[in-house]
Amino acid sequence: MVEMYYDKDASFEILKNKTIAVLGYGSQGHAQSQNLKDSGLNVIVGLRKGSKRWQQAENDGMSVNTVSEAVKDADIIQILLPDEVQAKVYEEKIEPNLDPGNALVFSHGFNIHYNQIVPPSDVDVYMVAPKSPGHLVRRTFKDNTGVPGLIAIYQNATGKAHDLALAHSKGVGCTRAGVFETTFREETETDLFGEQVDLCGGVASLIKTSFEVLVEAGYQPEMAYFETLHELKLIVDLIHEGGLEKMWYSVSNTAEYGGLTVGPKIINELSREAMYEALERIQNGEFAREFVLEGRVNNPVLKSMERKEREHAIEEVGRELRAKMPWLNSELNEK
């Protein structure tokens, strides 16, 4: 059974007199930097000159500087920039300003695991990864709770990387809910697999296809939207609270019998084969190469797919219906 770490297992003493530079102020950057500051730690936000986030960070009470200057002033450098830009920023702004004994921190292992960033041997490299979108990392922290998280040690130059990772996790609020240890490889590969096969890619494709089948069969698009997309949150909430067992217990016998008999016909052996293919592309680096090259040419394929998603009928119907439901939480649209 995996060991969990909590507040009692971490101490801020190791971070005393240290400065943490958080590079980036997006979803995770704004949340983690503010949580660290509210935990009493010394934090600088590093942004490029002219960034639209600069004023926002200052309005939030954060000290802000350029990436290069923030790295120079810091002992611990947390890189919370998009995966596709991290390597370039590291080469140009971070690496020239690193000192021996510094620590590099990531919340996703992509650039380390796939050797886009190769740190010098005299710095610590560890991961602090809240398992939640940034707005929830911040909201739960302010509510005196937290979200679960991961830590991983890639390089332990000072011999203190593990203690630093736990203290850093405490500052973000993750040890309130529980933190367990993994590796950069395991976090990266399982995270990418979950995103592609289940949480994002698989679910989105399942929703769109089931919507299309109902509409093509002559049902009203609005009814199809509610049955294939809108109600999904209710089911996911049950699963989140008590696993599949609570979900099956909570739905009707009709839903349970239909789901258990038809579900395996939808997600079948062909689906399983496709999942293994996706996992192999992640493990052998094929997906990473494709994604890195896509970023180098300004993401034309991604932008095209985003446009097609926006123009899908389920999105057009959804926008109209959601406009009539003002109680929906607009915070979910935050970046």
Side-chain angles (χ1 to χ4, degrees):
M1 192 69 176
V2 67
E3 182 179 0
M4 298 291 288
Y5 298 98
Y6 297 95
D7 278 352
K8 64 181 176 57
D9 302 306
S11 171
F12 287 143
E13 188 63 28
I14 196 170
L15 295 176
K16 191 175 181 180
N17 300 321
K18 291 188 182 295
T19 297
I20 303 170
V22 176
L23 309 184
Y25 206 70
S27 176
Q28 288 293 333
H30 93 275
Q32 294 197 45
S33 60
Q34 289 186 74
N35 289 5
L36 290 165
K37 180 176 181 290
D38 289 350
S39 293
L41 302 173
N42 187 25
V43 183
I44 309 170
V45 172
L47 296 170
R48 61 177 172 79
K49 274 289 188 185
S51 169
K52 63 181 180 180
R53 306 279 189 183
W54 193 296
Q55 189 62 54
Q56 179 188 346
E58 289 187 336
N59 291 344
D60 289 336
M62 305 302 300
S63 298
V64 188
N65 212 329
T66 62
V67 170
S68 296
E69 292 303 315
V71 173
K72 288 178 185 177
D73 293 340
D75 306 287
I76 297 168
I77 299 94
Q78 185 170 15
I79 305 176
L80 293 179
L81 302 165
D83 286 333
E84 63 270 27
V85 304
Q86 285 188 17
K88 187 173 188 295
V89 174
Y90 176 80
E91 180 182 356
E92 296 178 356
K93 308 290 186 183
I94 300 173
E95 187 174 30
N97 297 302
L98 284 178
D99 292 324
N102 281 170
L104 285 174
V105 188
F106 297 82
S107 286
H108 181 37
F110 185 96
N111 279 278
I112 291 292
H113 179 54
Y114 292 118
N115 297 310
Q116 298 302 296
I117 293 175
V118 181
S121 60
D122 57 3
V123 301
D124 291 333
V125 182
Y126 64 85
M127 181 190 302
V128 172
K131 299 309 293 178
S132 165
H135 71 276
L136 287 177
V137 174
R138 183 60 179 156
R139 183 196 303 169
T140 55
F141 183 90
K142 291 194 293 184
D143 290 341
N144 293 314
T145 59
V147 300
L150 309 174
I151 61 167
I153 311 302
Y154 181 78
Q155 204 161 270
N156 189 15
T158 67
K160 299 176 180 178
H162 194 268
D163 290 339
L164 285 169
L166 284 176
H168 198 129
S169 295
K170 184 174 183 176
V172 171
C174 291
T175 50
R176 296 175 178 179
V179 169
F180 68 89
E181 191 163 359
T182 182
T183 65
F184 272 67
R185 172 182 177 272
E186 184 175 59
E187 185 277 336
T188 301
E189 294 180 358
T190 57
D191 188 73
L192 292 175
F193 180 83
E195 291 168 349
Q196 296 172 22
V197 169
D198 179 11
L199 305 176
C200 302
V203 167
S205 291
L206 186 63
I207 290 170
K208 287 187 297 181
T209 303
S210 57
F211 172 87
E212 290 165 1
V213 167
L214 285 178
V215 173
E216 289 166 7
Y219 298 98
Q220 294 181 77
E222 292 80 6
M223 284 298 299
Y225 176 87
F226 274 108
E227 295 298 338
T228 63
L229 187 152
H230 183 80
E231 290 189 21
L232 182 64
K233 181 183 184 303
L234 307 177
I235 301 300
V236 171
D237 283 349
L238 292 171
I239 296 171
H240 186 262
E241 292 166 6
L244 296 174
E245 182 180 12
K246 181 170 183 178
M247 184 271 288
W248 291 127
Y249 173 81
S250 302
V251 300
S252 69
N253 289 343
T254 314
E256 183 181 16
Y257 181 81
L260 287 171
T261 55
V262 177
K265 298 176 183 178
I266 306 301
I267 307 301
N268 51 32
E269 285 304 312
L270 288 176
S271 306
R272 184 182 294 269
E273 290 176 14
M275 291 180 186
Y276 272 107
E277 290 175 9
L279 180 58
E280 184 177 4
R281 291 184 71 240
I282 291 167
Q283 291 173 328
N284 65 21
E286 185 180 340
F287 170 76
R289 286 192 297 273
E290 180 183 310
F291 180 69
V292 169
L293 290 173
E294 168 76 2
R296 289 178 182 172
V297 292
N298 201 27
N299 300 305
V301 175
L302 179 60
K303 291 175 181 176
S304 175
M305 292 187 295
E306 287 175 340
R307 184 182 68 253
K308 289 179 180 179
E309 287 288 283
R310 289 193 299 270
E311 295 171 353
H312 193 280
I314 198 171
E315 292 291 67
E316 295 176 354
V317 172
R319 279 190 286 270
E320 293 178 4
L321 289 174
R322 290 191 297 272
K324 300 174 182 179
M325 296 183 279
W327 61 87
L328 290 177
N329 191 348
S330 61
E331 267 194 86
L332 294 180
N333 296 319
E334 286 186 3
K335 286 289 186 181

